[in-house]
Amino acid sequence: MPPVVPPFLIGLFIAPLAKRLLKPLVRGVVTTSVGVVMEVRKAAHEAGENIQDLAAEVAADMVAAQIASGDGHRPTEGAASEGEKDEARTPKIRATAGAAKA
């Protein structure tokens, strides 16, 4: 009959060995995962910038096409100019008693 070794004695020998082998493995997995996440973030950011650039180019092309065809917005006579319209929409700041004391 072979000698019976208690399981906790096996654990005493296996635990340090597993720690030595698994720690670098886990560290490598975590390092690789973080690297992949950073690359995906960078790619997503660049894609967003490219989409914004494309949208700006299309908008500029559309405005240029409207100007070239003469369909641009022209105010009619008697209508308020752009500056007057902006002033009409801008709220006026009122002085209050609290502000006058300061």
Side-chain angles (χ1 to χ4, degrees):
M1 178 174 215
V4 177
V5 180
F8 75 91
L9 286 178
I10 296 173
L12 287 175
F13 292 112
I14 300 281
L17 180 63
K19 182 179 176 183
R20 283 189 203 143
L21 294 176
L22 291 179
K23 186 174 180 178
L25 179 67
V26 171
R27 173 176 248 150
V29 168
V30 170
T31 303
T32 303
S33 299
V34 169
V36 168
V37 168
M38 296 300 285
E39 289 296 320
V40 168
R41 279 182 146 180
K42 183 179 174 184
H45 181 72
E46 289 176 1
E49 286 181 351
N50 290 339
I51 289 172
Q52 288 178 353
D53 291 345
L54 182 61
E57 288 175 14
V58 169
D61 290 344
M62 290 179 68
V63 168
Q66 284 180 348
I67 291 172
S69 68
D71 291 341
H73 174 68
R74 294 182 190 155
T76 59
E77 288 187 32
S81 68
E82 289 296 320
E84 292 172 353
K85 287 181 184 177
D86 288 341
E87 284 182 18
R89 285 187 248 150
T90 305
K92 304 295 183 202
I93 299 174
R94 298 181 189 171
T96 60
K101 291 180 184 177

